[in-house]
Amino acid sequence: MAGRRALKAVLIDLSGTLHIEDTAVPGAQDALNRLRQASVAVKFVTNTTKESKQNLLERLQHLNFNLHEKEIFTSLSAARSLLEQKQLRPLLLVEDSALEDFNGIDTLEPNSVVVGLAPDHFNYQTLNRAFRLILDGAPLIAIHKARYYKQKDGLALGPGPFVTGLEYATDCKATVVGKPEKSFFTQALTDVGCSPSEAVMIGDDARDDVGGAQNAGMLGILVKTGKYREGDENKINPPPHLTCDSFPDAVEHILQNLL
Amino acid sequence: MADTGWPGCAKSLKGVILDLCGVLYDSGEGDGVAITGSIEAVKKLKASDLQLRFCTNETQATRDKFVAKLQRLGFDICVSEVFPPAPAAIAVLKERRLRPHLLVHDGLLPEFDSVDKTNPNCVIIGDAAEHFSYQNLNEAFRVLIGLEKPVLFSLGQGRYYKETDGLKLDVGVYMKALEYACDLKAEVIGKPSTTFFQSVLNDMGLQPHEALMIGDDLLNDVGGAQHCGMKGVQVRTGKYRPSDEMHPTVTADGTVDNLAQAVDMILNQRGQ
């Protein structure tokens, strides 16, 4: 690539890119192994807020993916470090399964609200409670603002709509910690020690994966699996570096053109 | 010279429009409670030479039902004086031949009994309160995202309102949620839409400058009325918050403690 330095890191989205719920994208495990044989760092970056890192790891290992917990960087990790840094006690609107990533954080008498993907908590009572806290001055932290995600039986609302609603109700702006925030992508590269211009991101979400990464200075590859819908590649400007059928094609492109 | 400020403008008024919730009463368990002095204030307005209408974004019950509730609370009010969003929405559906998927309060459903809801090609949301569950929102979302040209109607766009046990999120919050999810702009039926206020003025046969709106919602009652050419006065009851008086874009023509005070000031100006 003219004007770019050699590729040092590949960031890979999980849900919708490597797997859809309990099914791996065909060929994805082998493709990941081929990528590992090249001299690039691999990190798994996800806005999956329902699950702790440990859960994610087990699910992917169960699907025969070869990865380690320290390679996973999630929006929950990013939220936790923000809470610690500002010494906030959160009302956590996250699924029970994600709570372990917040172990040790004081949640009594909350003075902040953290919104993740929590279908069980996105009900009228809990949202009213969150709303009243924010109206009284509690900061609103969004793990991410995805519009929707794909389930086996169809599309389902993500946390973004609920965060947007709370912002509207209280006339405040949420601090977003997950994709597509620039800070999320740069934090994910911290321990790799390379600059965004030396990294590429592969994901199924045009705005949050590809647009976000490109905005942070990386290349972005959009795969047509998961939540991808016809024409998504035209929703961002600049367009994706590449749009391809699925993860194995993305890896092939990297191995042949970017190294 | 005509006095255009509050309360001097009351001298030349011909009609008054009142919001209901937060002005006449606070909603909550059962019928809710009347706000002190409001029952008497409505009586005084009715006895005056001013026309009186009620303009509400109430969508938790049919018009008949909530007018009956207000009557039980002691208010002198009848169905033909009350303008809620649902009947206006039904007129829009007919005109544009749309079949709605409804995300509204159970209490409002009978208003839509005569409306064709098969194979929906639009979504209507109202203040569904506890029916704003993840599952119900998801259903509305799936209808919208499945349409080639998604159309979302929102019965009002309020942020929150006050019930006896605290502030509650209003329909506008869920409208924004669906707008964001589907990347679209909802069409608002109800306050603060100019069309909606205009329909009330038409019913009274008045020009905007001849009417005054009194409400507890700075943006939807006061701002909406002002945008339409009316005067707007805010009461310090219901969802009122002191920060409303320092709002960057909307300034009420007057702010009063409650409806009783507003009505006394109006009638004083008119020497009644």
Side-chain angles (χ1 to χ4, degrees), chain A residues 119 122 124 127-128 131-132 135 145 147-149 153-157 160-162 164-165 168-169 207 229, chain B residues 129-130 132 134 137-138 141-142 145 157 159-161 165-169 172-174 176-177 180-181 183 241:
Chain A
F122 288 152
Y124 189 63
L127 287 169
N128 277 339
F131 156 65
R132 291 174 193 168
L135 206 57
K145 280 187 82 175
R147 289 169 160 75
Y148 49 82
Y149 67 106
D153 65 341
L155 298 176
L157 290 168
F162 297 91
T164 306
Y168 174 73
R207 282 192 182 92
R229 302 175 86 226
Chain B
E130 57 271 22
F132 278 131
Y134 184 77
L137 283 163
N138 227 15
F141 162 70
R142 285 180 178 183
I145 204 89
Q157 61 174 21
R159 290 157 196 252
Y160 53 87
Y161 53 85
D165 60 343
L167 296 175
K168 306 280 173 76
L169 292 170
V173 172
Y174 297 94
K176 286 287 169 188
Y180 180 79
D183 213 355
R241 287 165 61 87

Side-chain angles (χ1 to χ4, degrees), chain B:
Chain B
M1 213 186 111
D3 191 342
T4 55
W6 166 262
C9 65
K11 290 191 195 81
S12 56
L13 281 181
K14 292 187 178 165
V16 173
I17 305 174
L18 301 182
D19 174 39
L20 294 177
C21 185
V23 177
L24 266 56
Y25 73 106
D26 281 320
S27 62
E29 283 297 303
D31 288 341
V33 288
I35 291 169
T36 310
S38 287
I39 295 174
E40 191 57 32
V42 171
K43 259 188 211 141
K44 285 184 193 168
L45 278 177
K46 285 221 158 164
S48 77
D49 59 350
L50 289 163
Q51 294 203 58
L52 178 63
R53 296 291 185 276
F54 302 90
C55 186
T56 174
N57 276 359
E58 164 66 57
T59 58
Q60 288 204 3
T62 63
R63 179 158 46 168
D64 291 354
K65 280 266 170 59
F66 71 77
V67 169
K69 174 177 82 175
L70 287 162
Q71 290 167 342
R72 282 197 299 277
L73 286 172
F75 288 100
D76 178 5
I77 186 170
C78 67
V79 169
S80 62
E81 299 164 332
V82 178
F83 290 77
I90 290 170
V92 172
L93 292 174
K94 281 205 178 111
E95 190 188 314
R96 290 164 56 179
R97 296 185 186 190
L98 291 168
R99 299 175 307 275
H101 169 86
L102 298 173
L103 174 48
V104 299
H105 201 278
D106 280 353
L108 191 68
L109 287 172
E111 293 269 22
F112 292 90
D113 274 350
S114 63
V115 171
D116 180 8
K117 296 176 279 283
T118 55
N119 190 20
N121 54 8
C122 72
V123 169
I124 294 183
I125 59 167
D127 175 19
E130 57 271 22
H131 300 286
F132 278 131
S133 62
Y134 184 77
Q135 196 189 342
N136 287 344
L137 283 163
N138 227 15
E139 254 180 65
F141 162 70
R142 285 180 178 183
V143 170
L144 286 170
I145 204 89
L147 292 171
E148 200 178 320
K149 283 187 93 176
V151 179
L152 172 64
F153 294 106
S154 185
L155 305 181
Q157 61 174 21
R159 290 157 196 252
Y160 53 87
Y161 53 85
K162 191 181 175 185
E163 294 212 320
T164 45
D165 60 343
L167 296 175
K168 306 280 173 76
L169 292 170
D170 199 358
V171 62
V173 172
Y174 297 94
M175 170 193 89
K176 286 287 169 188
L178 288 172
E179 282 187 344
Y180 180 79
C182 307
D183 213 355
L184 56 76
K185 194 97 190 92
E187 298 179 41
V188 177
I189 300 177
K191 297 178 287 187
S193 138
T194 299
T195 330
F196 191 63
F197 281 114
Q198 193 58 54
S199 68
V200 185
L201 289 170
N202 291 348
D203 190 61
M204 294 193 284
L206 296 183
Q207 297 296 313
H209 69 271
E210 298 171 317
L212 169 78
M213 170 83 205
I214 303 175
D216 65 328
D217 187 317
L218 184 71
L219 300 178
N220 292 304
D221 294 330
V222 174
Q226 288 175 337
H227 188 71
C228 182
M230 292 187 258
K231 293 271 183 263
V233 166
Q234 189 181 21
V235 288
R236 295 192 183 97
T237 53
K239 78 179 68 170
Y240 163 86
R241 287 165 61 87
S243 59
D244 289 346
E245 294 187 49
M246 295 163 285
H247 196 274
T249 55
V250 178
T251 307
D253 291 288
T255 309
V256 293
D257 288 343
N258 50 40
L259 179 64
Q261 190 184 42
V263 170
D264 285 344
M265 287 171 82
I266 291 169
L267 298 180
N268 264 334
Q269 288 291 322
R270 301 172 69 84
Q272 289 174 17

